[in-house]
Amino acid sequence: MMIADLLDQEDLRDRFLSLGIPVTQEQSPDACCRAALAWRTEQDRERKQALDEVIRLLIRNSDSLLPEIKTAIQTCFPMNDVH
């Protein structure tokens, strides 16, 4: 039996932190995604594209997301809004 390595809250925060998005350990997945979305509005084209690519990758691999991570991403970043 194979056990899937699912992306959890810590993984999501780490991905956002690697882009320079100010998120904390105390923030829920939804709060992290909202913070990322707010951060995106103030960034240059290159940084926006970097976040968009991370979100596209997460959406593409949504089977590997914990349910609360998947819901937060789908709520804050509808596929049509990620350029």
Side-chain angles (χ1 to χ4, degrees):
M1 181 171 160
M2 217 172 149
I3 299 175
D5 188 19
L6 298 176
L7 187 127
D8 64 12
Q9 189 169 338
E10 186 176 326
D11 297 323
L12 180 67
R13 271 194 307 270
D14 288 346
R15 289 184 189 213
F16 287 164
L17 285 170
S18 73
L19 295 172
I21 300 169
V23 292
T24 66
Q25 256 187 334
E26 294 77 28
Q27 288 177 292
S28 67
D30 184 63
C32 286
C33 286
R34 283 186 279 116
L37 193 57
W39 172 89
R40 186 187 184 283
T41 64
E42 300 177 5
Q43 302 307 308
D44 62 23
R45 183 177 174 200
E46 185 177 312
R47 289 177 189 242
K48 286 178 181 180
Q49 288 176 339
L51 175 58
D52 292 351
E53 184 56 35
V54 167
I55 297 302
R56 272 193 294 275
L57 180 64
L58 293 172
I59 290 170
R60 233 178 285 138
N61 297 306
S62 64
D63 290 346
S64 67
L65 304 176
L66 287 175
E68 60 269 19
I69 304 299
K70 185 176 183 176
T71 299
I73 290 170
Q74 289 174 335
T75 300
C76 292
F77 301 98
M79 285 186 70
N80 294 338
D81 290 347
V82 179
H83 301 63

